[in-house]
Amino acid sequence: MARLGLHDLEAVVAVARRSSFRGAALDLGMSTTALSNAVGKLEAHLGVRLFNRTTRSVSLSDAGRLFVENVGPALQDIHGAMDAARSKQANPTGTLRINSYATAAREILSPLLLEFIRRYPQVHIDLVTEGRLLDIVAEGFDLGVRRATLVPSDMIAISLGRPQRNVVIGSPDYFKSHGTPSTPTDLLQHRCIRIRLPNGALFRWRFEKDGEPLLIDVNGPMTLDEASLSRGTVLEGVALGYVMERDVREDIEAGRLISVLKEWLPPTDELCIYYPGRRNPSAAHRAFVELARELGSKGRNTAL
């Protein structure tokens, strides 16, 4: 019988965590077929079925649940020992897995991620972008990127500097044809781009003045599931958009777009890198955190 390895055990734990062979395969950077073969090899070795499989779902069997409950902590101990060894490295190497949402990833790409791989070419950055807020430890990530108010309280957070700002934008032609809103409630009479959140809910445009928040459930001709797609639609004069100022600053300065309701849009929370406390972080992890602190210090005077 073929010998079992650490990857075979990690395969089972990954499938159990994701309840999906496809999701687990993406996490582990391998094909679904290879993952299925690894699980099948382990099941054959043990002589029991670890998962109940149907065409629509994957769930642990009783034997599988017992196996994962015992193997999971052991794997954490093994990885802890490996991290302890890596922490003695003189030069950062290996892979750092980072979870972010798309807008934040664009904000940190040039000032942080690209600078890091220039300084440490032997480190590979695996950046995964998604809108949902997840447990980075349970999902196998080294670090996460979120706004300060969304960082879990048990995590170590590093501010990346000056907060960003959302803006309501429209083209000159749109305002010429439809007029200009003077308060957020005026938007109910305008054509606006709606944004669908990862959980399926529609995003309500957020405003604030004198400490009082206001949410507007706008209407319009189009619903998008990625806010960054709004820019092209707004440039065509079809509707108003609600986006990060950073993404349309050049359009505003060039007069292609006009920002309105500025007094109702205060800066957003600071963007943060966050991670769990570790006794023996790898050299790559330590180097990344140090660079994040360095750029965060600079970012307090300039936007990312």
Side-chain angles (χ1 to χ4, degrees):
M1 182 172 288
R3 296 179 61 184
L4 297 175
L6 185 62
H7 291 302
D8 300 312
L9 302 178
E10 290 176 330
V12 172
V13 173
V15 175
R17 181 178 64 238
R18 281 283 203 162
S19 296
S20 163
F21 275 80
R22 182 174 181 275
L26 290 172
D27 286 348
L28 297 176
M30 59 193 302
S31 69
T32 304
T33 299
L35 178 64
S36 180
N37 289 338
V39 173
K41 181 175 71 172
L42 182 56
E43 288 180 323
H45 181 84
L46 296 173
V48 295
R49 182 168 291 278
L50 299 175
F51 294 98
N52 299 313
R53 305 170 177 85
T54 69
T55 56
R56 294 186 178 182
S57 66
V58 176
S59 62
L60 284 167
S61 65
D62 289 340
R65 187 173 298 104
L66 180 63
F67 181 80
V68 169
E69 287 176 355
N70 286 283
V71 167
L75 280 176
Q76 290 182 355
D77 289 342
I78 292 172
H79 284 294
M82 295 169 68
D83 286 343
R86 293 191 188 102
S87 70
K88 305 304 180 183
Q89 291 174 333
N91 299 312
T93 60
T95 297
L96 285 178
R97 298 194 71 227
I98 303 174
N99 181 270
S100 176
Y101 59 101
T103 301
R106 288 193 297 273
E107 288 187 40
I108 68 171
L109 181 63
S110 177
L112 180 55
L113 301 184
L114 298 185
E115 177 61 23
F116 182 80
I117 61 176
R118 289 189 192 101
R119 295 190 188 187
Y120 306 103
Q122 291 182 297
V123 180
H124 178 82
I125 296 290
D126 182 2
L127 177 65
V128 177
T129 60
E130 53 189 319
R132 67 190 180 104
L133 185 62
L134 48 74
D135 183 338
I136 61 171
V137 175
E139 299 289 343
F141 290 97
D142 298 292
L143 304 111
V145 185
R146 285 295 185 274
R147 294 291 169 192
T149 53
L150 295 178
V151 175
S153 59
D154 60 344
M155 294 285 166
I156 298 172
I158 300 172
S159 170
L160 294 178
R162 181 179 171 182
Q164 299 294 315
R165 185 186 301 272
N166 290 310
V167 290
V168 174
I169 50 168
S171 70
D173 286 343
Y174 176 90
F175 289 121
K176 184 177 180 180
S177 300
H178 300 87
T180 303
S182 57
T183 69
T185 54
D186 291 343
L187 293 171
L188 297 174
Q189 309 304 319
H190 282 263
R191 296 164 60 85
C192 300
I193 297 172
R194 310 183 81 186
I195 302 298
R196 189 177 302 283
L197 299 172
N199 63 4
L202 289 172
F203 174 74
R204 291 190 291 173
W205 291 16
R206 300 174 180 175
F207 300 91
E208 182 181 320
K209 194 171 184 181
D210 299 327
E212 292 295 327
L214 177 64
L215 300 178
I216 301 296
D217 190 6
V218 297
N219 293 299
M222 183 176 291
T223 299
L224 304 174
D225 65 0
E226 172 50 59
S228 62
L229 297 174
S230 298
R231 174 182 173 273
T233 306
V234 175
L235 283 169
E236 293 294 326
V238 175
L240 300 180
Y242 185 99
V243 301
M244 293 296 293
E245 182 183 33
R246 182 182 185 275
D247 294 338
V248 294
R249 187 174 294 138
E250 292 183 2
D251 294 311
I252 293 173
E253 291 174 351
R256 293 186 293 268
L257 294 174
I258 297 172
S259 173
V260 298
L261 302 175
K262 299 177 185 178
E263 67 276 18
W264 289 86
L265 291 160
T268 59
D269 296 321
E270 292 183 339
L271 193 65
C272 292
I273 291 284
Y274 68 95
Y275 58 94
R278 290 182 173 179
R279 291 183 178 179
N280 298 292
S282 67
H285 191 283
R286 288 200 310 270
F288 190 87
V289 168
E290 289 171 3
L291 180 58
R293 292 188 189 280
E294 176 186 328
L295 294 180
S297 178
K298 294 178 181 178
R300 290 186 179 89
N301 297 316
T302 57
L304 285 172

